[in-house]
Amino acid sequence: MWTFDNPPSKQLKERYGFEPTREWLDHLRLASVRFNDGGSGSFVSPNGLVLTNHHVASEQLQKVSTPERDYLEAGFLARGPSEEMKCPDLELNVLISMEDVTARVFAAIKPGMTDKQANDARKGVVARIEKESLDATGLRSDVVSLYAGGEYWLYRYKKYTDIRLVFAPERRIAFFGGDPDNFTYPRHDLDMALFRVYENDKRVASPAYLRWNAKGAAAGDLVLVSGHPGSTDRMRTLAQLEFSRDREYPTYLELIRRRLDVVRRYSARGQEHAREAANMIYGLENALKALSGEHQGIKEPRLLAGKARDEQEFRRLVASRSDWQAAYGGAWGEIAKAKSRHLERYDNLAYRAFSGYQLPETAMTLVRYVTEVTKPDGERLEEYHEAGLESLRFSLLSPAPVYPGLEEALLADDFRLSVEKLGPDDPFVRAALGGRTPAEVAKELIAGTKLGDPAERKKLLDGGEAAVAASTDPLVVLARRLDPIRRETRKWYEDNIQSVERSGGERIGKARFAVYGKSTYPDATFTLRLAYGTVKGYPMNGTEAPPKTTFHGLYDRAGGFDFKPPYDLPSRFVERKNALDLSTPLNFVMSGDIVGGNSGSPVVNRAGEIVGLIFDGNIESLVGRFVFDETTNRAVAVHTAAMTEALRTLYDADGLVRELLRP
Amino acid sequence: MWTFDNPPSKQLKERYGFEPTREWLDHLRLASVRFNDGGSGSFVSPNGLVLTNHHVASEQLQKVSTPERDYLEAGFLARGPSEEMKCPDLELNVLISMEDVTARVFAAIKPGMTDKQANDARKGVVARIEKESLDATGLRSDVVSLYAGGEYWLYRYKKYTDIRLVFAPERRIAFFGGDPDNFTYPRHDLDMALFRVYENDKRVASPAYLRWNAKGAAAGDLVLVSGHPGSTDRMRTLAQLEFSRDREYPTYLELIRRRLDVVRRYSARGQEHAREAANMIYGLENALKALSGEHQGIKEPRLLAGKARDEQEFRRLVASRSDWQAAYGGAWGEIAKAKSRHLERYDNLAYRAFSGYQLPETAMTLVRYVTEVTKPDGERLEEYHEAGLESLRFSLLSPAPVYPGLEEALLADDFRLSVEKLGPDDPFVRAALGGRTPAEVAKELIAGTKLGDPAERKKLLDGGEAAVAASTDPLVVLARRLDPIRRETRKWYEDNIQSVERSGGERIGKARFAVYGKSTYPDATFTLRLAYGTVKGYPMNGTEAPPKTTFHGLYDRAGGFDFKPPYDLPSRFVERKNALDLSTPLNFVMSGDIVGGNSGSPVVNRAGEIVGLIFDGNIESLVGRFVFDETTNRAVAVHTAAMTEALRTLYDADGLVRELLRP
C-alpha cells in the first residue's frame, strides 16, 4: 500500500529485478479510478470504459432497477452507446497530482497551543489549503493525513459524475457462493462490471488506459495493484487497539446484526421487498463477516502481544534520546488517557444516531448544510468544507429511488436501540420520541416526509437557513430538534478525544520517521496506493490453496452443493456450458497487501497491462487491518481470461471484447 | 464405531427413523473384509470380488512390481481370470462370530494377585480361549479387549490368503494431490482397488456381498460404514494422555522425520531407487501428517482441559459410592504412577530397536519364534500365541521382494539413532556395533544375510531352535545377541507398566459401566465396527465445505496448479476428458466416526447397497484419536458413481462394470 510519491522501488528491484519508470507509474495512476462511495477501478479502453467489481457497481445497479427490471439479479448489457444507462449518483475520481503540505499544516500549529486549539488550527489550515487548490485548479482537492498525522498531502482529483452502466453479469455469478464464500478462497466469481465515463454527454477520452492482457496472470508472476485501500489500523497505539477490541467492535457488530435482522425480516415480506433490500443485505452481511474476522484477529492474544512488544521497543528507542523523549514521549500516555475518557460518553456517541437509513440522514445533512455554509470554511464541521460541497450536493440531490418501507423499519429499530441503550430519559431519546413508541414515530416520520423527492431537497438546499427553519417536513423538524444534542456530543468528542488522538498521532508519526525513517507505507486512507506481490497459493486447511481456479471449479462447487443457492448458476451458465473452455482461469490469488476499498483495483503485469481484477481478500486477510502476514494473506482477483471468455461466449458481448482487445 | 453385537439401534431409530434388522447387520458384517496389514474392504460381487483403497492395496502393488513393471505408477487391470495376479503375502479376514468371554477372563484373575500376576493370568487365559476356539472351529480366533479392558470378546475370522489383484488405477489419480491433500477435503481421488479372493485356486463364492449402487450417496442421506478402525485413545486417563503428548509423540515424530529423510535420500539416488522407496515414502509421509495432526490436537490446552474435567467428574461419581471407590477408585493414581515410572526406561524401550526394516525384523522374529513355540502357550510373548502362528508364518515366508539398499540405509540410521540416544556404552549399542560404525555394521549385515530368500527363512523355521542356534547368517547371529537385552527391557515394561495399565484400565472400564452404563462404543481396536452419519458438508476456512466434489473439481485443482506434481494426471485423464461426464460425483464426506484402519470400508445406504468407499478423514478428523466432534469431523469417501464412470469410460473395464452392476 505504497503511495505513488514513494513507490517500493528498492523492493521491486531486489525481489523481482523490476524497475518501473516514472512514466510507468504516472500512467498507472492516471488509469486508476476511485469510486467515491468506496471502491476502485481502472480505465480499460481509450473511450472512457471503466472496469470495476460487480459488488462495487451493485449500489448503482440497485438504484437503476425498478420493480419491473431488476438489473442486480438479471445483469445488464448495453448494445451500443444509446443503451448505456446513466447512474443516478456515482462519482468517480482520478488522482491528478499529489503535493506534500506537511510543513504548512505543521506551521499552523503554534507552540503552546492546547490540543483543542491545535485541532482547530489544523482543521482551519486544511480547509484553506483545499479551498485555495479548488479555486486555483477547479479540481477536487483533499488534504490527506498519512502516517497517523506524520505527513499531510494535498491530493487533487479530476471528478466525473456522468457515469453510465455498460455491463454487469447476474449477481448470482458475480457473487457465486454468496455470503459463505465471501472473503474466502478458492473462489469462483465473475465479480466484474463495466461503466463508461461521459462528459458533456460524450464518451470521455481516456488516453491513460490499461491494455487488456487476455492471457492474464500466471503462477509465479510479479503483479502490481493500483487502488484505494479504505483504512487500516496498523499504526494505532495499544490503547487505541484495546479500545477497538473491547468497545467499538462489539458495538458495531451488535448494530450490524440487529440491522441485518430488520432488513431480512423486511425482505421476507414479499418479492418487491426482497428486491429493495437485496443490496443492503449484501452490504450488511459483508460488513458482518469482515468485522467479525477483524475482531477475531484482534482478540487473538498473540496479535496484541506482538503489538505490545513493538510499541514497547518503539517507546524504548524514543526514550533513548532526550530530545525525542521530550517531543514525542508523552503521546502514548495521553492517547491512553483520552481513550479511557472516551468511554465516559461512548454510548452517547454511538446511540444518539439519526442515520437509520437514507431519509433521516438526508434530513440531518440538509439541516446542517444550510447553517454550516454560512460559517468561515475553517470553522465548519469537516464534511462541509467548501472543497467538498459539490460532491456532497451531488449525492444529496440524487434521483435514486428511496424505499419508504425499508426506511421506516430501520428508523424504528434505530430509535429502539437508542431507548435500550440510553434509557427513555436521555435528552436525545426524549427529543426523538416525545414519549411515543419508536414504531409510531418512525411510521409518522416516513409517511409524512417529502424528502424522497429530489426536487424537495433542492428547494430546501437552495432556500438556505430560512427555508429549512420554516420547513414543516416532519423529518426536517425532527432533525432540527436533534441537531443541537448531536452537535454537543460531537463537540465534546472532537475537543476532548479526537484532538488528543490527532495531536498524539502526529507526534508518534514524527517519532516513527525519526526512529525508523520512512521505511514503510502509511495506514490506508482511501487514497491511491500501489501494492505488489506474486501470484501464488498459500498453506490452507492442511494443504495448499492453488494459485488459481478455473471454470471447472465453478461447476464443481455448484454441483457439490447440488446447485442450491447461493451455489446456483444463471441459466446461460448451464445452457452454454459446453461452449465454454472450462480450463480457463477464473480467479487467482496474489500476495500483495490490499484491504477493503481495493475492490475493483486493476492487477497489472510488468508491462502495465491489466491481467486481473481485485475483488476480495481471503479469510486470512481480515486480520490485515492490524497486521500483514505474507504467508497467508492473499488478495483474490478475477482473471482477465475468464472475463474475456465469459463476455464472448456467454454474454455475446463481442463489441465490448473488441473494445478491450484493441491492438 | 459401534461393535456389531451392540449396534446404535436407538440412535438410528431416533435420528433417522431407521431400524436395521439382525439379518441386515449380519449381511453387512459378512460382506466386510479386514485387510490384515491394516485396512478394510468389502465383497462387491458374489464371486469374491473385494473393493478397497488403492492406498490399502499399495503395499501389495509395490510387492508385485519389478524394475520393469511398476504397477503402483501405471496401475493394473486383469482382463479375465487368468490375468488376476496373486499377491505375495496378503491375508484377508471375515468376522464370522463374536462371543463375550469377559466372565472367563475376569475369573482367571484371583483376588490378592499382584498386577504382574494378574497380567500373566490374563495372558494365559486369553491364549487358552484362542487356542480352544482355533482347535474347535479352525477359524482364526482373537480375544479382543474392549472398553479399555472392561470387556473381552472372542472374535472368530474366516481367513483368506490367496488374494489376487484385479484392478488398480495409477497412483497419481488414486493419490491425486499427494501428501499436501492427504487428510484434507475437498478432495479428488480415485482411491480404489479391486482384489479377488481365491480358495483352492478357484474364485471363492461370496454370497454376502454388497450390491453396487451406481447412483451413489447424495447430500442429506443417512449412510453407514462397516470397517476396522485401528485405534483411538479416547478412554485413556489424563496421565496416559500427558505421557503421549510429552514423550511418545515427540519420539515417534522424530523417528518418522528421520526415516523419511533417509528414505528420501535413498529415493533420490536413481529411478529404481525411487521405485523401491515409493510406498515407504507414502507410508511415512502419511504417518507424519497423521501424527502431527494428533499431536497438535493433544497439545491444544482446551482438549486436555476438557479431558481433565471429564475425568474429575467421573472420579467424583466413583467416589460417591464407597463400594465403587474401593473397587475402582485407586486405578487413576496407580496408572499415573506407572506412567511416571515408564519415563525411567523410556529411552531403552524406544531406542533398543532392531526393526530398521524387513530383514532385521525377520531375523529377530525367527530367533524368537523357534524358542517361543517350545513354551506353554500362555507363557509365550503375546505375538507367538498358537492361534496366531499361521498368520505369522504366512507373513514370515512371504516371497515379496526385499530391497537390500534400502534395508542397509535404514538399519544404519537406526543404529545411529541408538548411539545418539543411548550412548556408545549402552549394552544394546555395544552388542550391536562392537565399537564399529553403524554404516560399516549395517553394510556387512545386509551384504552377508541370506534372509532375503524365503527358502532360507523356511529352513530356519523348520529347523527350530537348533537350526537358528547354529546359523552363521550375520543377521541371525546379531539377533541372537540382541534378543536377551531386548527381552529384559520388554519384561521390565510388561511387569511394571503394562500390567498396571491393564489392571487399572480394567477397573476403570468396569467403573465406566457402573457409572454411565454401556452408553457408548469402545475405543477402536482394529476390529469390525459400525459407524453412521449423514452425507453433509461442514464449516471450513470461513465458508462451507461441500457435501461432494465432482470430476470438474479434479480438473480445476489440477489446472489450478498447472498440472504440476502432485497435481498431475494420468494421460488417460487428459486424453479422454471429453468422454467423461465431468459432473459425476467424485468424492464425498459423511459425518460418521471413523479413524485410520477404516480405509477401504464400504459406505452403505439403508438398503445395504454400497454407495461409497471410505479412504480418508479431513484434517479436522485427526484429533479424533482423542475426541470426536461431529461439527467438523468428516470421513472422506470415493463415490460409487465416479468408480463406475472411471472404470467404464477411462479404463475400458466393461467386464468389471458388468460384474459390479449385476442385477
Side-chain angles (χ1 to χ4, degrees):
Chain A
M1 305 197 302
W2 298 84
T3 52
F4 271 70
D5 67 277
N6 179 36
S9 309
K10 188 162 165 286
Q11 290 85 343
L12 287 172
K13 187 173 175 188
E14 284 177 9
R15 292 181 61 175
Y16 299 97
F18 178 55
E19 300 180 71
T21 60
R22 175 46 54 194
E23 291 68 40
W24 191 98
L25 290 163
D26 287 347
H27 180 84
L28 180 57
R29 171 172 54 80
L30 293 169
S32 300
V33 171
R34 181 166 79 171
F35 278 66
N36 222 25
D37 287 337
S40 303
S42 60
F43 285 112
V44 288
S45 95
N47 303 315
L49 195 64
V50 169
L51 176 71
T52 187
N53 295 141
H54 183 278
H55 80 268
V56 170
S58 67
E59 193 181 323
Q60 296 301 321
L61 290 167
Q62 175 86 46
K63 288 176 177 174
V64 296
S65 291
T66 63
E68 292 71 40
R69 300 229 57 159
D70 187 349
Y71 296 109
L72 209 48
E73 249 333 278
F76 174 81
L77 173 65
R79 306 208 165 274
S82 66
E83 289 184 22
E84 296 183 352
M85 186 164 40
K86 186 159 180 158
C87 297
D89 54 9
L90 180 56
E91 176 183 324
L92 303 190
N93 296 159
V94 173
L95 180 59
I96 301 298
S97 73
M98 297 160 285
E99 188 184 328
D100 187 350
V101 294
T102 311
R104 191 168 162 200
V105 173
F106 285 176
I109 299 161
K110 307 296 177 203
M113 277 183 172
T114 64
D115 283 345
K116 178 188 160 354
Q117 288 166 333
N119 206 24
D120 292 342
R122 198 181 293 114
K123 285 178 187 175
V125 68
V126 161
R128 274 195 305 281
I129 295 170
E130 290 178 346
K131 179 68 165 55
E132 282 171 19
S133 169
L134 173 66
D135 291 345
T137 64
L139 295 170
R140 175 179 174 133
S141 299
D142 298 348
V143 170
V144 185
S145 151
L146 299 175
Y147 297 98
E151 284 185 358
Y152 289 87
W153 284 73
L154 170 63
Y155 278 40
R156 292 196 188 92
Y157 298 96
K158 169 77 181 154
K159 200 173 72 182
Y160 298 104
T161 52
D162 183 357
I163 315 297
R164 306 196 187 171
L165 181 64
V166 175
F167 170 74
E170 303 86 345
R171 152 163 278 172
R172 77 183 73 176
I173 186 61
F175 195 47
F176 176 80
D179 186 53
D181 282 10
N182 197 14
F183 294 112
T184 73
Y185 182 81
R187 197 70 168 282
H188 318 87
D189 289 3
L190 191 67
D191 192 355
M192 70 177 293
L194 289 161
F195 289 98
R196 196 183 302 277
V197 176
Y198 282 71
E199 272 191 323
N200 306 318
D201 222 29
K202 290 206 171 57
R203 297 176 166 200
V204 87
S206 49
Y209 72 95
L210 303 178
R211 286 185 182 273
W212 190 264
N213 182 323
K215 215 172 146 261
D221 284 358
L222 161 67
V223 286
L224 301 104
V225 175
S226 170
H228 303 83
S231 77
T232 52
D233 290 336
R234 298 183 194 162
M235 294 188 178
R236 313 219 97 197
T237 69
L238 202 59
Q240 289 171 319
L241 291 174
E242 286 170 345
F243 184 86
S244 282
R245 180 192 64 190
D246 300 337
R247 207 67 178 87
E248 288 177 328
Y249 277 102
T251 303
Y252 296 156
L253 287 168
E254 183 193 9
L255 184 66
I256 293 169
R257 286 202 185 90
R258 197 170 168 125
R259 288 205 171 178
L260 202 44
D261 186 49
V262 170
V263 183
R264 280 188 184 138
R265 273 188 282 124
Y266 181 81
S267 173
R269 279 156 63 184
Q271 204 183 334
E272 171 56 12
H273 292 80
R275 188 192 71 77
E276 291 176 4
N279 195 55
M280 194 168 194
I281 288 178
Y282 160 72
L284 287 167
E285 285 182 342
N286 185 64
L288 181 60
K289 196 162 183 183
L291 293 184
S292 298
E294 292 175 9
H295 196 211
Q296 285 307 315
I298 199 176
K299 283 198 294 185
E300 183 61 50
R302 255 178 313 189
L303 188 147
L304 270 206
K307 290 278 181 189
R309 270 195 309 279
D310 292 349
E311 185 169 301
Q312 209 170 13
E313 171 65 6
F314 185 13
R315 293 179 70 171
R316 197 186 60 72
L317 291 169
V318 166
S320 71
R321 271 182 55 170
S322 60
D323 54 336
W324 288 353
Q325 178 64 16
Y328 317 128
W332 287 272
E334 286 159 32
I335 288 176
K337 228 164 78 187
K339 293 319 282 183
S340 142
R341 190 147 179 229
H342 194 168
L343 289 175
E344 290 169 24
R345 295 197 64 185
Y346 187 79
D347 278 350
N348 284 179
L349 286 157
Y351 302 114
R352 288 182 172 175
F354 190 55
S355 55
Y357 191 27
Q358 208 172 307
L359 292 176
E361 185 80 45
T362 298
M364 187 57 78
T365 304
L366 285 169
V367 166
R368 288 185 166 179
Y369 186 103
V370 294
T371 305
E372 291 300 301
V373 296
T374 65
K375 300 179 188 170
D377 202 6
E379 292 169 24
R380 301 180 192 171
L381 295 172
E382 282 174 290
E383 60 273 31
Y384 298 94
H385 283 329
E386 204 60 40
L389 287 188
E390 201 174 300
S391 295
L392 181 57
R393 289 177 64 100
F394 178 64
S395 108
L396 210 47
L397 299 178
S398 163
V402 297
Y403 309 123
L406 195 49
E407 299 273 347
E408 183 190 323
L410 284 161
L411 183 58
D413 195 66
D414 254 23
F415 284 147
R416 245 174 253 124
L417 181 63
S418 298
V419 179
E420 285 172 28
K421 297 293 182 179
L422 304 172
D425 295 330
D426 181 86
F428 176 88
V429 173
R430 272 216 303 265
L433 300 180
R436 301 164 68 208
T437 69
E440 280 166 7
V441 175
K443 191 184 171 80
E444 201 176 277
L445 287 171
I446 301 299
T449 186
K450 299 206 161 35
L451 294 183
D453 177 3
E456 196 67 25
R457 284 175 243 147
K458 186 155 191 320
K459 228 160 55 187
L460 288 167
L461 213 51
D462 292 347
E465 279 191 296
V468 167
S471 172
T472 57
D473 188 287
L475 270 181
V476 176
V477 172
L478 182 57
R480 283 198 312 256
R481 198 155 66 228
L482 297 178
D483 187 36
I485 303 169
R486 300 185 74 230
R487 277 178 185 269
E488 184 279 329
T489 317
R490 174 157 167 182
K491 189 169 161 38
W492 175 86
Y493 166 74
E494 289 186 354
D495 290 351
N496 295 287
I497 315 301
Q498 184 193 69
S499 64
V500 181
E501 290 192 87
R502 288 203 180 159
S503 153
E506 233 168 65
R507 276 176 291 159
I508 293 173
K510 289 177 189 172
R512 188 172 286 114
F513 290 141
V515 171
Y516 297 113
K518 199 166 167 177
S519 58
T520 186
Y521 42 80
D523 264 325
T525 48
F526 197 42
T527 52
L528 192 66
R529 303 296 180 89
L530 183 67
Y532 66 90
T534 309
V535 177
K536 63 172 175 185
Y538 56 97
M540 187 202 83
N541 183 40
T543 179
E544 283 286 313
K548 63 171 183 267
T549 65
T550 65
F551 278 115
H552 272 305
L554 172 69
Y555 289 96
D556 179 60
R557 194 149 174 87
F561 288 99
D562 294 323
F563 297 88
K564 289 190 187 130
Y567 299 102
D568 50 336
L569 292 171
S571 56
R572 74 179 82 235
F573 276 77
V574 178
E575 288 152 12
R576 300 192 185 186
K577 175 178 156 185
N578 290 333
L580 270 181
D581 176 354
L582 295 171
S583 60
T584 307
L586 176 49
N587 292 164
F588 67 97
V589 274
M590 55 86 65
S591 59
D593 185 7
I594 62 137
V595 297
N598 267 115
S599 283
S601 297
V603 183
V604 301
N605 62 13
R606 289 167 193 246
E609 299 162 338
I610 183 164
V611 293
L613 169 65
I614 294 292
F615 74 98
D616 207 355
N618 61 355
I619 198 85
E620 294 84 350
S621 77
L622 289 177
V623 74
R625 170 169 290 279
F626 308 108
V627 63
F628 176 68
D629 177 2
E630 197 182 317
T631 324
T632 54
N633 190 319
R634 290 292 177 279
V636 188
V638 188
H639 199 274
T640 43
M643 293 189 266
T644 317
E645 176 75 3
L647 284 171
R648 185 159 31 204
T649 310
L650 300 178
Y651 292 94
D652 302 323
D654 298 312
L656 273 178
V657 172
R658 269 195 307 276
E659 186 176 350
L660 291 171
L661 294 185
R662 65 176 38 247
Chain B
M1 306 198 301
W2 299 85
T3 53
F4 271 70
D5 67 277
N6 179 36
S9 310
K10 188 163 164 287
Q11 291 84 342
L12 288 172
K13 191 174 171 187
E14 284 176 7
R15 291 182 60 174
Y16 299 97
F18 178 56
E19 299 180 72
T21 61
R22 174 47 53 194
E23 291 69 40
W24 191 98
L25 290 162
D26 287 348
H27 180 85
L28 180 58
R29 171 172 53 81
L30 293 168
S32 300
V33 171
R34 180 166 78 172
F35 278 67
N36 223 25
D37 287 336
S40 303
S42 60
F43 285 113
V44 288
S45 96
N47 302 315
L49 195 64
V50 169
L51 176 70
T52 187
N53 295 140
H54 183 278
H55 80 267
V56 169
S58 66
E59 192 180 324
Q60 296 300 322
L61 290 167
Q62 174 85 48
K63 287 176 176 174
V64 296
S65 293
T66 62
E68 291 73 39
R69 300 229 56 159
D70 187 348
Y71 296 110
L72 208 49
E73 245 339 272
F76 175 81
L77 173 66
R79 309 209 161 270
S82 66
E83 289 185 21
E84 296 184 350
M85 184 163 43
K86 187 159 179 161
C87 296
D89 54 9
L90 180 56
E91 178 183 322
L92 303 190
N93 296 160
V94 174
L95 181 59
I96 301 298
S97 73
M98 297 158 286
E99 188 185 327
D100 188 351
V101 295
T102 311
R104 191 167 163 201
V105 173
F106 285 176
I109 299 161
K110 308 294 179 205
M113 276 184 172
T114 63
D115 283 344
K116 178 190 164 350
Q117 289 166 334
N119 205 23
D120 292 342
R122 200 180 293 115
K123 287 179 186 175
V125 69
V126 161
R128 275 195 304 283
I129 295 169
E130 289 178 347
K131 181 67 166 54
E132 282 170 21
S133 169
L134 174 67
D135 291 346
T137 63
L139 295 171
R140 175 180 175 131
S141 300
D142 298 348
V143 170
V144 185
S145 153
L146 299 175
Y147 298 98
E151 284 186 357
Y152 288 87
W153 284 73
L154 171 61
Y155 277 41
R156 293 195 187 91
Y157 298 95
K158 171 77 181 151
K159 199 174 72 183
Y160 298 103
T161 52
D162 183 356
I163 315 298
R164 307 196 186 170
L165 181 65
V166 176
F167 169 74
E170 303 86 344
R171 152 162 282 173
R172 76 183 73 175
I173 186 61
F175 195 47
F176 176 79
D179 186 53
D181 282 10
N182 197 14
F183 294 111
T184 73
Y185 182 80
R187 197 69 168 280
H188 317 87
D189 288 2
L190 191 67
D191 192 356
M192 69 176 294
L194 289 160
F195 289 99
R196 197 182 302 277
V197 177
Y198 281 71
E199 273 192 321
N200 307 317
D201 222 28
K202 288 204 173 56
R203 296 176 166 201
V204 87
S206 49
Y209 72 95
L210 303 178
R211 286 185 184 273
W212 190 264
N213 182 323
K215 216 173 143 262
D221 284 359
L222 161 67
V223 286
L224 301 102
V225 176
S226 170
H228 302 83
S231 77
T232 51
D233 290 335
R234 298 184 194 164
M235 295 187 178
R236 312 219 98 196
T237 69
L238 201 60
Q240 289 171 319
L241 292 174
E242 286 170 344
F243 184 85
S244 282
R245 181 193 61 188
D246 300 336
R247 207 66 178 89
E248 288 176 329
Y249 277 101
T251 302
Y252 297 157
L253 287 169
E254 183 192 8
L255 184 66
I256 293 168
R257 286 203 185 90
R258 195 172 169 122
R259 287 204 172 178
L260 202 44
D261 186 50
V262 170
V263 182
R264 279 187 185 140
R265 272 188 282 125
Y266 181 81
S267 173
R269 278 157 62 185
Q271 204 182 335
E272 171 56 14
H273 292 80
R275 188 192 70 79
E276 292 176 8
N279 195 55
M280 193 169 196
I281 289 178
Y282 160 72
L284 288 168
E285 285 182 342
N286 186 65
L288 181 60
K289 196 162 182 181
L291 294 184
S292 298
E294 292 174 10
H295 197 212
Q296 284 308 314
I298 199 176
K299 283 198 296 185
E300 182 62 49
R302 258 178 312 191
L303 190 148
L304 270 206
K307 290 278 181 190
R309 270 195 309 279
D310 293 350
E311 184 169 303
Q312 206 170 17
E313 171 65 8
F314 185 14
R315 294 180 69 173
R316 197 186 59 74
L317 290 168
V318 167
S320 71
R321 272 182 54 170
S322 59
D323 54 337
W324 287 354
Q325 178 63 16
Y328 317 128
W332 287 271
E334 286 159 31
I335 288 176
K337 228 163 78 187
K339 292 319 282 183
S340 140
R341 190 149 180 227
H342 194 168
L343 289 175
E344 291 169 23
R345 296 197 64 185
Y346 187 79
D347 279 350
N348 284 179
L349 286 156
Y351 302 114
R352 287 181 174 177
F354 190 54
S355 55
Y357 192 26
Q358 209 172 307
L359 291 176
E361 185 80 46
T362 298
M364 187 56 77
T365 304
L366 285 169
V367 165
R368 288 184 166 182
Y369 186 104
V370 294
T371 304
E372 290 300 299
V373 296
T374 65
K375 302 179 186 170
D377 201 6
E379 292 170 25
R380 301 179 192 170
L381 295 172
E382 281 174 290
E383 60 273 29
Y384 298 93
H385 284 329
E386 204 59 42
L389 286 188
E390 202 174 300
S391 294
L392 182 58
R393 288 177 65 99
F394 178 65
S395 107
L396 211 45
L397 299 178
S398 162
V402 296
Y403 309 122
L406 195 49
E407 299 273 348
E408 184 190 322
L410 283 161
L411 183 57
D413 195 66
D414 255 22
F415 284 146
R416 244 174 255 125
L417 181 64
S418 299
V419 179
E420 284 171 29
K421 297 292 183 180
L422 305 171
D425 295 330
D426 182 87
F428 176 87
V429 173
R430 273 216 303 265
L433 300 181
R436 299 165 67 210
T437 71
E440 280 168 5
V441 176
K443 190 183 172 79
E444 196 174 280
L445 287 170
I446 301 300
T449 186
K450 300 206 158 38
L451 294 183
D453 178 4
E456 196 65 27
R457 286 175 240 148
K458 186 156 194 319
K459 230 161 53 188
L460 289 166
L461 213 50
D462 293 345
E465 279 191 294
V468 168
S471 171
T472 57
D473 187 288
L475 269 181
V476 176
V477 171
L478 181 56
R480 284 199 312 256
R481 198 156 65 226
L482 297 178
D483 187 34
I485 304 170
R486 299 186 75 228
R487 278 178 183 270
E488 184 279 329
T489 318
R490 172 157 168 180
K491 190 170 160 40
W492 175 87
Y493 166 73
E494 289 186 356
D495 290 352
N496 296 287
I497 315 298
Q498 183 193 70
S499 64
V500 181
E501 289 192 88
R502 289 204 178 159
S503 153
E506 231 166 70
R507 278 177 290 158
I508 293 173
K510 289 177 187 172
R512 189 172 282 116
F513 290 141
V515 171
Y516 298 112
K518 199 166 166 175
S519 58
T520 187
Y521 41 80
D523 263 324
T525 48
F526 197 41
T527 53
L528 192 66
R529 303 295 180 88
L530 184 66
Y532 66 90
T534 309
V535 177
K536 63 171 174 184
Y538 57 97
M540 187 201 83
N541 184 39
T543 180
E544 285 286 313
K548 62 170 185 271
T549 64
T550 66
F551 278 115
H552 272 304
L554 172 69
Y555 289 96
D556 178 59
R557 196 151 172 84
F561 287 99
D562 295 323
F563 298 88
K564 290 191 186 128
Y567 300 102
D568 50 336
L569 292 171
S571 55
R572 73 178 83 233
F573 276 77
V574 178
E575 287 152 14
R576 299 193 186 187
K577 174 178 156 186
N578 289 333
L580 271 181
D581 176 354
L582 295 172
S583 60
T584 307
L586 177 50
N587 292 165
F588 66 97
V589 276
M590 55 86 67
S591 60
D593 186 7
I594 63 138
V595 297
N598 266 114
S599 283
S601 298
V603 184
V604 302
N605 61 14
R606 289 165 193 246
E609 299 161 339
I610 183 165
V611 293
L613 169 65
I614 294 291
F615 75 97
D616 206 355
N618 61 356
I619 197 85
E620 294 84 350
S621 77
L622 289 177
V623 72
R625 170 168 291 278
F626 309 107
V627 64
F628 176 68
D629 177 2
E630 199 184 314
T631 324
T632 54
N633 190 319
R634 289 292 178 279
V636 188
V638 189
H639 199 275
T640 43
M643 293 189 267
T644 318
E645 176 76 2
L647 284 171
R648 185 158 32 201
T649 309
L650 301 178
Y651 292 95
D652 303 323
D654 299 313
L656 273 178
V657 172
R658 271 195 306 275
E659 186 175 351
L660 292 170
L661 294 185
R662 64 174 40 244

